Amino acid sequence: MKRYNWPVTILLILGSVVILFPLYITIVNALKTPAETAASILALPETFSLANFRQAIEMTNFFNALSNSVYVTAFTVVFTVLSNSLVAYAIARNMHKRTYRFLFYYFVSAMFVPFPIIMLPLVNQMSSIGLMNLNGLVILYIVYGLAFNVFLYTGYIKTIPKELEEAAIVDGCSRWGVFWRIIFPILSPINATVAILTALWAWNDFLLPLVILGDRADHTLPLVQYVFQGQFGTNYNLAFASYLMALLPMIVLYLFLQSRIISGVTQGAVK
């Protein structure tokens, strides 16, 4: 007879309800009129209508915001993985030197600095060099994520035997070639982990785009959704429809890459 671990099963059921209930509220009310929502926020819609989605697309200039979010997320992920892994490799292989130990702790200490403290100086500097735009936002994501990513990469690189690099150098490979041809492929699991975390951050972030992107044409998806919140209330039906459309690209991406994502996270966790 099959025995169940009831405490764990109950916790899983409660966890599923906590996750699925807000999603149910979002989907159901995105398909209802404001009057139906006012009557009952939990009830199913009387007629399924996509009018809220059409209106949300028009009000937010959705496809322009979508292209901005894709641009920022794609370039942030690519350059974060390439640059942060290279910086971490240099530090990890030279930790016996005082300068590199200082750099490591300098980067790690940045994780404990809250963003609101550096927000105003950051905006002032970006404005002075003319980077209050999407390219400036990409640069900030790459630099601001450096602290946590160096911490992850350095711990992973330390587990890679140096004998691999020494053998490659004996065979005539340069130090630059050692990284890109030997080390970088081995970093695939941790690269996947960093790429996933960075993509979720860049896609969903609201505060950094709010202070950096002054031109409305540059606004990303989280920023344009702010239009549904007025001084005296929020249009929840349009807001929920907009949230679902903003969520859809990441869900589709996850469905196509779920095996690689789970594999990358798992390998990164057990290395």
Side-chain angles (χ1 to χ4, degrees):
M1 182 177 178
K2 193 173 182 179
R3 300 180 62 183
Y4 290 96
N5 187 335
W6 287 109
V8 175
T9 304
I10 292 172
L11 285 175
L12 287 175
I13 293 173
L14 291 176
S16 299
V17 171
V18 169
I19 294 172
L20 293 177
F21 181 71
L23 187 60
Y24 168 80
I25 293 292
T26 304
I27 295 175
V28 166
N29 288 283
L31 298 170
K32 293 196 293 190
T33 63
E36 290 175 325
T37 300
S40 174
I41 195 171
L42 296 177
L44 291 171
E46 296 177 2
T47 58
F48 290 92
S49 172
L50 299 178
N52 291 329
F53 292 90
R54 288 193 292 268
Q55 192 173 348
I57 289 174
E58 294 174 0
M59 291 181 65
T60 59
N61 196 4
F62 177 80
F63 293 107
N64 178 69
L66 177 64
S67 66
N68 291 338
S69 287
V70 170
Y71 177 87
V72 170
T73 303
F75 278 95
T76 298
V77 169
V78 170
F79 286 107
T80 293
V81 170
L82 295 179
S83 63
N84 289 193
S85 61
L86 191 57
V87 172
Y89 173 68
I91 292 176
R93 286 301 187 240
N94 294 282
M95 281 291 279
H96 58 284
K97 299 178 181 177
R98 183 178 301 176
T99 304
Y100 288 90
R101 279 203 306 274
F102 170 77
L103 282 175
F104 174 74
Y105 290 115
Y106 176 75
F107 283 130
V108 171
S109 64
M111 289 192 297
F112 303 101
V113 179
F115 178 71
I117 292 178
I118 63 172
M119 183 171 64
L120 290 180
L122 197 63
V123 171
N124 190 24
Q125 291 179 6
M126 296 301 285
S127 176
S128 64
I129 57 178
L131 283 176
M132 299 287 282
N133 49 38
L134 294 175
N135 294 328
L137 186 61
V138 171
I139 293 172
L140 285 179
Y141 280 135
I142 296 171
V143 174
Y144 203 63
L146 189 62
F148 182 64
N149 294 335
V150 163
F151 178 74
L152 289 180
Y153 274 121
T154 301
Y156 193 91
I157 291 171
K158 284 181 178 177
T159 65
I160 301 174
K162 292 183 179 178
E163 287 76 9
L164 288 174
E165 302 168 43
E166 293 169 354
I169 292 174
V170 169
D171 288 340
C173 194
S174 65
R175 178 59 67 180
W176 186 257
V178 166
F179 177 76
W180 293 114
R181 299 170 66 179
I182 306 297
I183 300 300
F184 193 74
I186 299 176
L187 293 178
S188 296
I190 195 68
N191 282 339
T193 303
V194 170
I196 293 163
L197 296 175
T198 304
L200 291 175
W201 177 36
W203 186 267
N204 295 317
D205 187 35
F206 175 79
L207 189 56
L208 199 52
L210 178 66
V211 298
I212 293 298
L213 302 178
D215 190 346
R216 186 174 176 78
D218 289 340
H219 282 189
T220 54
L221 285 172
L223 279 187
V224 297
Q225 290 168 350
Y226 197 61
V227 72
F228 302 113
Q229 296 184 353
Q231 183 178 1
F232 301 105
T234 301
N235 190 329
Y236 290 106
N237 301 91
L238 296 182
F240 287 154
S242 178
Y243 297 158
L244 287 177
M245 289 189 294
L247 182 65
L248 188 60
M250 297 305 284
I251 292 178
V252 172
L253 185 66
Y254 174 77
L255 292 177
F256 276 105
L257 301 177
Q258 58 175 324
S259 60
R260 294 185 180 182
I261 291 173
I262 294 173
S263 174
V265 172
T266 305
Q267 292 183 51
V270 301
K271 176 66 179 178

